[in-house]
């Protein structure tokens, strides 16, 4: 029964994460992919450290982290967008996009870890 709850939870939360990513990609294209990936870095670290010592149901943490964040972020689009930019005359944009995604994503993951730890201690 636990596995079934996890699968249903992943599907439920993935719907919202995927729909939100699609919406942001439609309105902002390349910038939308950049935003979902760096926000996803923060959210995954936040959820991980927030729920570390909590007795939250597994279906909830699996649904949020694997379902929502997994569907919200996109590693493949990140690379495809970078390749498209490399093939254009504005290849400098590709390198800025590539390194900004990695550096800012890492920074936001670190911030998400700190905020998640702090919030996890305050919320019982």
């Amino acid at each position: 029964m636990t596995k079934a709850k996890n699968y249903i939870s992943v599907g439920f939360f993935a719907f919202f994460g995927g729909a939100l990513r699609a919406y942001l990609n439609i309105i902002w294209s390349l910038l939308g992919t950049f935003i979902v990936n760096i926000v996803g870095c923060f959210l995954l670290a936040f959820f991980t450290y927030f729920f570390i010592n909590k007795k939250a149901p597994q279906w909830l943490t699996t649904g949020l982290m694997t379902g929502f964040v997994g569907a919200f972020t996109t590693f493949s689009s990140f690379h495809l967008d970078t390749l498209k930019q490399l093939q254009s005359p504005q290849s400098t944009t590709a390198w800025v996009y590539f390194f900004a995604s990695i550096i800012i994503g890492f920074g936001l993951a670190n911030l998400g870890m700190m905020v998640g730890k702090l919030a996890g201690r305050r919320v019982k």
Side-chain angles (χ1 to χ4, degrees), residues 5-24:
K5 279 183 182 178
N6 288 341
Y7 293 138
I8 292 169
S9 177
V10 167
F12 176 79
F13 285 106
F15 170 80
F16 293 103
L20 185 57
R21 180 181 71 176
Y23 175 73
L24 293 174

Side-chain angles (χ1 to χ4, degrees), residues 27-75:
I27 62 171
W28 287 328
S29 186
L30 182 69
L31 183 60
T33 303
F34 175 75
I35 289 171
V36 298
N37 285 333
I38 62 170
V39 169
C41 290
F42 175 85
L43 289 176
L44 189 59
F46 174 82
F47 288 142
T48 298
Y49 285 94
F50 180 78
F51 288 120
I52 262 179
N53 293 321
K54 303 289 177 209
K55 293 181 180 174
Q58 185 182 4
W59 64 266
L60 179 61
T61 59
T62 301
L64 285 173
M65 295 194 303
T66 303
F68 183 81
V69 177
F72 182 63
T73 58
T74 174
F75 189 69

Side-chain angles (χ1 to χ4, degrees), residues 33-46 73 78 96-113:
T33 303
F34 175 75
I35 289 171
V36 298
N37 285 333
I38 62 170
V39 169
C41 290
F42 175 85
L43 289 176
L44 189 59
F46 174 82
T73 58
F78 163 68
V96 170
Y97 174 72
F98 181 80
F99 287 111
S101 294
I102 292 172
I103 293 167
I104 295 172
F106 184 76
L108 285 178
N110 194 25
L111 180 64
M113 177 186 69

Side-chain angles (χ1 to χ4, degrees), residues 74-110:
T74 174
F75 189 69
S76 55
S77 292
F78 163 68
H79 286 285
L80 180 61
D81 289 346
T82 303
L83 283 175
K84 285 179 184 174
Q85 293 297 315
L86 280 174
Q87 294 176 349
S88 77
Q90 305 154 336
S91 62
T92 304
T93 304
W95 292 110
V96 170
Y97 174 72
F98 181 80
F99 287 111
S101 294
I102 292 172
I103 293 167
I104 295 172
F106 184 76
L108 285 178
N110 194 25

